[in-house]
Amino acid sequence: PAVVARWRARLAAIAAEAETGGARGADRTSDPAATALDEATSLALLADFDIPVVPHALAGSREEALAAAARLGFPLVLKTAAAGIAHKSDVGGVVLGLADADALAAAYDAMAARLGPRVLVARMVTGPRVEMLVGLTRDPDFGPLVLVGAGGVHAEILRDVVVAKPPFDAAYARRLVDRLRLRPLLDGVRGAPPADVDALATALARFSQMVVSVADVVGDMDVNPLLSGADGVLAVDALLVIRPLSPPRTGD
């Protein structure tokens, strides 16, 4: 399909630029051989593979942030989009629950003063939802693998994760979800409505198909959280890491 060809070309170009240190729209990570795409680009990749993403917009000034807010509607979340910041919450780069233009303007001014003017404005997702994680990792023997598990701030603590070889269909994705310890949460607890597990399984299957389509031009990827609720799923944050296409030169 055209979307696969377009993204393969785009990611390959970024990877090639990364090898010469000139990648645009990407940031160096702690691994000198890896380059992380910004959040907006990572979300765009998911959206093009029909994985629902939170409505959002990039802005480079207070005026652009307010214009984005007018299109998206309140309440909103403001995130830094400064280069080189993979974990935004750790540096105070996320402000939740902005209810009006005055609150957004004040949050923007404070964030821009500390972290720079480039931000991402996103619609605040409300209502009961289960925070999931889906990701791409690599195994030296098995190649690309999909991770599915508990997401949000508890992902590293709970370590409730299953692993599968892509691609797989929605029926298999549902069986993966059924293996998680958090599975009862998706049925609704303490008055919360049950999540749309079919929509979750479909999104996971599409992610696995995306992984196969671009696996040879990317390193790994995290979508965390992928929010699962009664009205479907939404990817709220994503990080895609590209690695060089060829081994680094060690000299002649």
Side-chain angles (χ1 to χ4, degrees), residues 114-138:
R114 292 188 303 107
L115 301 173
R118 193 167 184 266
V119 299
L120 186 140
V121 183
R123 189 176 298 163
M124 181 84 179
V125 182
T126 58
R129 296 173 188 271
V130 178
E131 292 186 329
M132 305 287 296
L133 172 149
V134 58
L136 160 66
T137 189
R138 289 184 175 275

Side-chain angles (χ1 to χ4, degrees), residues 138-164:
R138 289 184 175 275
D139 181 272
D141 296 318
F142 297 102
L145 298 172
V146 171
L147 308 175
V148 179
V153 297
H154 303 301
E156 294 182 3
I157 299 172
L158 297 178
R159 297 188 181 278
D160 183 14
V161 175
V162 293
V163 180

Side-chain angles (χ1 to χ4, degrees), residues 22-37:
R24 291 168 292 182
D27 306 323
R28 285 294 183 186
T29 69
S30 57
D31 178 352
T35 301
L37 292 186

Side-chain angles (χ1 to χ4, degrees), residues 2-246:
V3 65
V4 173
R6 183 171 71 250
W7 274 103
R8 285 178 58 82
R10 182 175 180 181
L11 296 173
I14 295 173
E17 286 186 83
E19 293 189 72
T20 62
R24 291 168 292 182
D27 306 323
R28 285 294 183 186
T29 69
S30 57
D31 178 352
T35 301
L37 292 186
D38 62 30
E39 181 179 351
T41 304
S42 300
L43 289 172
L45 171 63
L46 296 174
D48 273 355
F49 280 84
D50 295 324
I51 298 167
V53 303
V54 66
H56 63 280
L58 284 171
S61 67
R62 184 205 294 180
E63 291 71 23
E64 289 181 4
L66 290 171
R71 298 191 302 271
L72 294 169
F74 291 95
L76 292 170
V77 178
L78 184 70
K79 302 181 184 181
T80 180
I85 302 178
H87 301 289
K88 304 175 186 66
S89 297
D90 292 350
V91 296
V94 179
V95 181
L96 304 174
L98 297 170
D100 54 38
D102 289 341
L104 174 62
Y108 177 86
D109 289 344
M111 188 176 292
R114 292 188 303 107
L115 301 173
R118 193 167 184 266
V119 299
L120 186 140
V121 183
R123 189 176 298 163
M124 181 84 179
V125 182
T126 58
R129 296 173 188 271
V130 178
E131 292 186 329
M132 305 287 296
L133 172 149
V134 58
L136 160 66
T137 189
R138 289 184 175 275
D139 181 272
D141 296 318
F142 297 102
L145 298 172
V146 171
L147 308 175
V148 179
V153 297
H154 303 301
E156 294 182 3
I157 299 172
L158 297 178
R159 297 188 181 278
D160 183 14
V161 175
V162 293
V163 180
K165 181 75 174 173
F168 47 79
D169 61 16
Y172 187 81
R174 190 172 184 122
R175 292 197 293 274
L176 292 175
V177 172
D178 287 343
R179 291 166 50 192
L180 295 169
R181 295 194 303 275
L182 66 72
R183 178 63 180 84
L185 295 178
L186 295 168
D187 293 328
V189 295
R190 300 199 175 193
D196 186 342
V197 179
D198 287 339
L200 173 60
T202 296
L204 296 177
R206 288 173 179 169
F207 183 88
S208 80
Q209 292 153 7
M210 179 197 76
V211 163
V212 172
S213 298
V214 299
D216 60 334
V217 288
V218 302
D220 45 56
M221 186 171 190
D222 284 325
V223 182
N224 183 22
L226 177 70
L227 298 180
S228 181
D231 56 352
V233 297
L234 275 179
V236 173
D237 200 350
L239 177 66
L240 173 65
V241 174
I242 296 178
R243 300 187 185 278
L245 299 179
S246 59

